[in-house]
């Protein structure tokens, strides 16, 4: 069996360095040196769980691999390593048949509204700035909207980023109606020929009913303008499996089109990404790998798995 040649993303490789060094790189070492024994399976299981792939996803993965092993597909540890990487890529594939017209990171032609949702502190404001910068780089004309009117500093922080990037921004007073901010942002976009409205939304979960009400209100306003809207959930990788619990609550409130996983550079347990996609049945669109505006990678399952297993620093690859 030949080793796969994955698409490379040096920025992502740097961003997942801790997770690679602590877990996935070690799996490659375990599988590189052994014939497959019960101990091999145990070590791989321990490392996957250590990386925060999650118990359910780890067991499902190992069941599939054991089945393939029993069918004689793998003879050496290296074969198993390739099989594991294939299965990991499959776990991350966007759910099929879901969300017709899903725009993906590039969005479609024409005016679009992106509602960015997530708990305070996950890196939502920074991610909005990164997304604005990214989509502008794709030739889109972006406007930001400070729809989180509960945080006194929320609007100010977003406006600082907007100034720094030279992006227009509809600010807000604390306590203002987020619906009216979104309305103003859409009107400004139409008047100025802009096509991408990125909306910050409130990030406190404890008042879930209000949150749902608020997101629904925002959606109604967008729908009234007959503009496609997309809910993008921001999750902090350093919170591990807790992020999934948060995600479910938001998914219930807002529906989910895509996910951005932030702070992958800050954790050795970046394997949580593998449980997010199957658990939420939604694709990861981007990952954040630092505090700077261009520390954002478009998510590609193969590049992600490749970055976890291979530092790309000249290790040999048989193709
Ligand atoms: P918000 O409260 O969700 O809007 O979060 P902020 O955007 O204010 O970010 C909270 C902190 O996380 C800030 O110190 C950011 O610089 C930091 N941050 C955001 N994204 C990333 C990332 O991908 N990597 C790292 N290391 N830090 C990040």
């Amino acid at each position: 069996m030949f080793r796969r040649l994955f698409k490379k993303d040096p920025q992502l490789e740097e961003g997942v360095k801790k997770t690679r060094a602590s877990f996935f790189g070690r799996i490659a070492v375990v599988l590189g040196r052994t014939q497959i024994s019960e101990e091999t399976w145990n070590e791989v299981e321990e490392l996957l769980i250590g990386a925060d792939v999650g118990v359910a996803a780890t067991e499902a993965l190992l069941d599939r691999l054991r089945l393939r092993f029993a069918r004689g597909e793998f003879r050496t540890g290296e074969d198993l390593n390739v099989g594991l990487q294939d299965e990991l890529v499959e776990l991350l594939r966007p759910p099929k048949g879901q969300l017709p017209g899903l725009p993906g990171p590039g969005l479609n032609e024409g005016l679009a509204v992106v509602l960015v949702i997530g708990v305070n502190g996950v890196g939502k404001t920074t991610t909005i700035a990164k997304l604005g910068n990214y989509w502008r780089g794709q030739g889109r004309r972006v406007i930001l909207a400070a729809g989180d009117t509960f945080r006194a500093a929320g609007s100010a922080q977003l406006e600082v980023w907007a100034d720094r990037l030279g992006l227009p921004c509809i600010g807000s007073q604390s306590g203002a109606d987020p619906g009216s901010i979104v309305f103003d942002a859409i009107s400004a976009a139409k008047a100025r020929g802009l096509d991408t409205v990125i909306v910050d939304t409130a990030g406190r979960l404890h008042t879930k009913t209000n949150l749902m009400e608020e997101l629904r209100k925002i959606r109604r306003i967008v729908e009234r303008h007959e503009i496609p809207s997309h809910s993008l959930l921001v999750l902090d990788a350093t919170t591990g499996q807790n992020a999934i619990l948060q995600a479910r609550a938001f998914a219930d409130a807002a529906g989910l089109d895509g996910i951005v996983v932030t702070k992958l550079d800050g954790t050795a347990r970046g394997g949580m990404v593998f449980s997010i996609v199957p658990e939420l049945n939604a694709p990861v669109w981007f990952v954040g790998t630092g505090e700077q505006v261009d520390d954002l990678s478009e998510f590609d399952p193969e590049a992600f798995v490749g970055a976890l297993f291979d530092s790309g620093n000249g290790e040999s690859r048989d193709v």
Side-chain angles (χ1 to χ4, degrees):
M1 193 181 279
F2 294 108
R3 189 134 174 231
R4 292 178 69 136
L5 186 62
F6 285 117
K7 191 168 128 186
K8 295 182 66 61
D9 182 338
Q11 186 176 335
L12 189 62
E13 280 169 10
E14 178 62 24
V16 299
K17 175 159 90 173
K18 290 184 186 160
T19 305
R20 181 174 59 244
S22 305
F23 299 104
F24 291 93
R26 285 169 56 196
I27 294 180
V29 172
V30 167
L31 296 178
R33 64 164 194 250
T34 52
Q35 289 298 307
I36 302 165
S37 65
E38 204 44 43
E39 200 188 328
T40 316
W41 293 107
N42 291 340
E43 281 185 70
V44 171
E45 179 172 14
E46 214 170 280
L47 286 166
L48 287 171
I49 293 195
D52 213 12
V53 169
V55 175
T58 298
E59 280 175 5
L61 269 173
L62 289 179
D63 283 351
R64 275 196 299 279
L65 288 170
R66 277 181 187 273
L67 196 74
R68 291 179 60 185
F69 178 61
R71 286 202 302 247
E73 282 184 46
F74 314 127
R75 274 181 300 121
T76 64
E78 181 60 19
D79 292 342
L80 181 53
N81 188 6
V82 176
L84 172 62
Q85 293 182 33
D86 285 342
E87 296 288 349
L88 286 167
V89 168
E90 283 313 307
L91 269 185
L92 296 174
R93 292 226 186 269
K96 291 188 180 68
Q98 195 209 16
L99 297 169
L102 181 76
L107 299 179
N108 289 331
E109 295 292 303
L111 185 55
V113 175
V114 180
L115 303 177
V116 182
I117 58 181
V119 179
N120 290 339
V122 293
K124 203 153 43 100
T125 314
T126 312
T127 299
I128 291 170
K130 290 177 178 179
L131 290 171
N133 186 55
Y134 170 87
W135 276 316
R136 179 173 56 187
Q138 304 278 307
R140 296 192 67 100
R141 305 193 62 208
V142 175
I143 181 167
L144 309 183
D148 180 357
T149 57
F150 279 83
R151 271 200 296 190
S155 178
Q157 204 194 337
L158 194 66
E159 286 176 76
V160 167
W161 271 114
D163 268 357
R164 206 184 292 167
L165 296 171
L167 290 172
C169 180
I170 303 291
S172 63
Q173 299 292 325
S174 174
D177 171 24
S180 71
I181 309 294
V182 174
F183 182 88
D184 287 352
I186 291 173
S187 307
K190 285 184 168 170
R192 293 152 77 170
L194 310 176
D195 59 18
T196 307
V197 183
I198 309 179
V199 182
D200 190 13
T201 60
R204 68 240 175 283
L205 257 182
H206 50 281
T207 51
K208 203 174 138 201
T209 323
N210 289 350
L211 176 70
M212 274 195 250
E213 227 5 83
E214 197 173 295
L215 288 169
R216 269 195 218 112
K217 216 153 72 180
I218 293 177
R219 272 191 183 279
R220 269 203 302 275
I221 288 171
V222 179
E223 275 160 21
R224 212 175 297 151
H225 285 80
E226 298 185 348
I227 301 168
S229 71
H230 311 286
S231 301
L232 202 48
L233 176 69
V234 181
L235 293 177
D236 177 344
T238 64
T239 61
Q241 295 291 318
N242 280 341
I244 293 169
L245 298 178
Q246 279 171 20
R248 282 213 199 94
F250 274 102
D252 288 349
L256 277 191
D257 295 314
I259 299 162
V260 182
V261 180
T262 60
K263 309 188 197 178
L264 263 183
D265 54 309
T267 179
R269 309 191 75 211
M272 53 84 82
V273 175
F274 294 104
S275 39
I276 285 176
V277 176
E279 284 275 343
L280 300 175
N281 201 31
V284 176
W285 277 9
F286 297 96
V287 291
T289 52
E291 297 187 80
Q292 304 306 314
V293 73
D294 49 7
D295 292 331
L296 183 77
S297 287
E298 214 178 286
F299 188 75
D300 175 276
E302 300 210 347
F304 184 68
V305 172
L308 287 177
F309 279 85
D310 189 348
S311 69
N313 60 6
E315 291 165 37
S316 70
R317 289 157 181 260
D318 309 318
V319 181

